[in-house]
Structure formats: structure tokens, C-alpha cells
Amino acid sequence: LAQHGVSIISTPYAEVQHGDALFSFAKYQAFGINMTIGTDAQPMDMLRNMRMARDIDAICRARQLFQRYPEDGAACNTFADEPQYPRLDAGDFYNAATVNGAKALGRADIGALAPGMKADIIAINLNDLAVGPYEDPIRTLLVSAVGNNITHTIVGGRMLMENRRLVGIDEEALLAQGQRVFERFLDLYEAYDAEN
């Protein structure tokens, strides 16, 4: 995969909802594969997905969850032969959601704040009781912040959300429309689900 320039998009929150998890983010990255993070489940919260990717990777690193107990009651480590991979930090997961995602798309104009880049910016309020005290802003973002801490969104230099309100959009009408679409989806899902 690394030799052919393949990027992997991990959608950790969606995977966990189906009882799956990637083993392990650090493993793929150690092999030189461009690791990215995406959203594929409600809530569409990239901060939550970055945190989930980090937490799953920490579980994989600790290997405490991956035990099985044979009939004789002896415990064995399912991944005993798996080597330890370099420990990742908050910056690795932040990069997966930003610069690595841009690389996966073959885009040199997004993924970072620099001259010549698209003006795609979010402002995040870390001064929040739910976030608590902070030290390194990227680590705090991953460990404590949630999507509701995002106060402003600018895409291509255009303000789309200001002070947590969508600009030029009736949010109540949008929520009602989303509910109608979801209810239609549920009706179709029940009609076509092989397992009822």
C-alpha cells in the first residue's frame, strides 16, 4: 500500500458503532501509509473522530483488550506476535485530519494555514468548563474538545458559521427537513433490510 501511494481513511466512530476497530493506526503509519481520518456516522464531529482514533490506538498499544480464554481457562494474547509500533501523539491524529487528508485528495491548496492555501478555517473555543484546563492546544483539542467548541467556520474565505450559528440558513427548518429525510430512510430500511 505504501509503495503504491495508497491512503487509508479511517472512520473510527462509524467503525466502533458496528463493533469494528482498526488495528492499529500506528501500524499503518509505521509502514509509511498515509493515514487520514474521516466522518461517516452521526454526529459528524471530526474532533470526536480524532479522539476515537487516538483512543482505539491506545487500546491497541496496551493490548489489554485482546485476550481470549480457551476451554482450559488459560489466557493468551491474541496479538502476541505483533510488534510494538512507534507511539503516536496528538499531532499525528491532527495531521491525519488535516494535511494527510489533503495529501490523500492530491490537493496542495488545503490542509494547512499558509500563503496560497484556501482560506478554510475553523475557530475553536478552548476556554470552556467542559474542556477544563489546557496545556498543549492540539492535545487539549483531541482529549477534551467537541464539535460544539467550534465557534466559527470559514470555507474559501466565506463565513459559513459565526458564533455557533449557520450563516444564512434557517437551522430549525434544516433540522425538520433532516428528520423527515431520516424517517423516510428508516421506512425504506425496514422494507429492504434482509434481517428485518
Side-chain angles (χ1 to χ4, degrees):
L1 294 174
Q3 290 172 1
H4 292 284
V6 171
S7 294
I8 292 179
I9 303 170
S10 175
T11 54
Y13 196 72
E15 293 160 21
V16 164
Q17 287 184 12
H18 293 285
D20 299 325
L22 178 72
F23 183 89
S24 85
F25 207 93
K27 176 180 182 175
Y28 286 90
Q29 191 158 301
F31 277 99
I33 296 168
N34 183 48
M35 293 299 297
T36 71
I37 296 175
T39 61
D40 191 22
Q42 189 66 12
M44 298 292 199
D45 185 334
M46 183 59 87
L47 300 181
R48 180 180 264 181
N49 274 275
M50 290 190 306
R51 179 178 305 117
M52 182 69 73
R54 176 188 166 273
D55 293 348
I56 291 170
D57 196 69
I59 290 170
C60 291
R61 186 176 60 253
R63 313 264 169 89
Q64 296 302 308
L65 191 64
F66 305 108
Q67 303 288 330
R68 66 170 186 245
Y69 297 90
E71 293 298 319
D72 66 2
C76 60
N77 188 335
T78 307
F79 295 102
D81 297 329
E82 195 73 43
Q84 282 291 345
Y85 300 100
R87 184 183 186 125
L88 302 181
D89 62 23
D92 291 303
F93 296 98
Y94 180 81
N95 288 341
T98 56
V99 293
N100 294 5
K103 179 181 176 184
L105 294 171
R107 300 277 303 267
D109 61 337
I110 61 172
L113 295 177
M117 298 284 204
K118 296 253 185 218
D120 295 346
I121 304 165
I122 60 172
I124 302 169
N125 181 10
L126 297 180
N127 189 25
D128 183 326
L129 284 175
V131 172
Y134 60 90
E135 31 136 9
D136 175 82
I138 298 297
R139 184 178 181 286
T140 302
L141 178 73
L142 253 71
V143 172
S144 302
V146 295
N148 284 342
N149 292 112
I150 298 172
T151 60
H152 294 71
T153 302
I154 303 167
V155 177
R158 190 170 143 236
M159 185 75 71
L160 299 183
M161 182 174 71
E162 187 172 13
N163 295 318
R164 294 191 178 99
R165 300 291 300 174
L166 297 175
V167 174
I169 293 176
D170 183 338
E171 292 183 11
E172 289 182 19
L174 181 62
L175 280 169
Q177 180 183 7
Q179 188 64 40
R180 287 191 301 274
V181 169
F182 183 67
E183 287 168 5
R184 183 167 184 264
F185 164 78
L186 288 178
D187 290 342
L188 290 171
Y189 190 83
E190 290 175 5
Y192 292 101
D193 179 28
E195 298 177 7
N196 292 322

